[in-house]
Amino acid sequence: MERTFIMIKPDGVQRNLVGEVIKRLEAKGFTLVGLKMMSVSHELAEKHYDVHKERPFFKGLVEFITSGPVVATVWEGEGVVASSRKIIGATNPLAAEPGTIRGDYGISIGRNLIHGSDAIETAQREIDLWFKDEELVSWEPSIKSWLYEEN
Ligand code: DAT
Ligand code: MG
C-alpha cells in the first residue's frame, strides 16, 4: 500500500494545529502508521531539503525547520501521496484554496505549516530519512471494507 511522509512544521506545532492536521488525514480515511514529535538536527534538515540547496531560501528554510519541535508522520492509503498534497494545498498559502490546510490556516510561504512528499519516490526517500523501520507500525484498520470497495 502507498505511503507518504507528512510533517507538521514548527509553525504548525506552535499554532496548535497538530490535531487539526491529523484529524483531516484520519477523517479522509488514511491510516497513520508512524508518528513522532522531535527536534530536527541541522544535518537532517539539510538532507530533507537537499533538492532546494541551491535556492536562495534554503538557509532560511533549514533555520526555520530546526527552530522548534516538529511532528513527523507517515500515512498509508490508496493514492495517499497525491491526495494528501491536495489536502495540504498549494505551497503559497495565499494561493492555496480555502478548504486546504494551508488555504485555511496560512499566509506566508515561509510559514506554510506542513510538509508533504510530492511523489511516490520522494515519499520513500523521506520515510527512510525520518523513520527507522521499527518506528513504523503496519496495522489493518477494521473499517477498511467501508473505505475500499475491494480488499
Ligand atoms: P512544498 O512544501 O509545497 O512541497 P517546495 O518543495 O517547492 O514546496 O518548497 C519547500 C519549502 O520551501 C516550502 O514549503 C516553503 C519553502 N519555499 C518554497 N518556495 C519558497 C520561496 N519562493 N520563498 C521562500 N520559501 C519558499
Ligand atoms: Mg516539496
Side-chain angles (χ1 to χ4, degrees):
M1 187 66 103
E2 191 172 311
R3 286 182 171 181
T4 197
F5 173 69
I6 306 274
M7 175 194 23
I8 301 147
K9 298 184 191 181
D11 50 340
V13 173
Q14 292 290 346
R15 292 189 46 208
N16 297 328
L17 292 171
V18 174
E20 180 64 28
V21 170
I22 290 173
K23 187 185 87 173
R24 289 184 182 211
L25 293 165
E26 278 190 315
K28 173 73 171 168
F30 293 132
T31 305
L32 185 61
V33 296
L35 173 73
K36 59 180 174 183
M37 186 173 210
M38 59 191 282
S39 300
V40 183
S41 69
H42 220 78
E43 190 192 353
L44 175 58
E46 287 191 347
K47 278 189 192 156
H48 175 73
Y49 282 125
D50 187 61
V51 294
H52 298 304
K53 64 173 180 284
E54 307 301 338
R55 311 280 285 274
F57 57 82
F58 179 74
K59 193 164 171 280
L61 190 55
V62 168
E63 264 165 30
F64 176 59
I65 216 74
T66 55
S67 69
V70 304
V71 174
T73 65
V74 178
W75 295 82
E76 190 174 87
E78 207 172 293
V80 68
V81 174
S83 176
S84 58
R85 289 277 294 187
K86 285 189 183 169
I87 291 167
I88 291 168
T91 306
N92 181 347
L94 286 182
E97 294 294 330
T100 65
I101 294 167
R102 287 168 172 168
D104 285 350
Y105 298 111
I107 294 171
S108 301
I109 197 162
R111 298 288 184 272
N112 63 6
L113 303 161
I114 178 167
H115 166 85
S117 309
D118 61 9
I120 291 177
E121 309 76 60
T122 325
Q124 193 52 58
R125 175 189 170 270
E126 291 175 353
I127 292 166
D128 291 344
L129 183 62
W130 287 82
F131 283 85
K132 297 182 185 126
D133 280 351
E134 61 266 29
E135 290 176 323
L136 298 174
V137 182
S138 292
W139 60 286
E140 182 87 358
S142 60
I143 59 163
K144 207 168 173 188
S145 64
W146 302 104
L147 290 164
Y148 297 93
E149 198 172 355
E150 285 167 34
N151 284 295

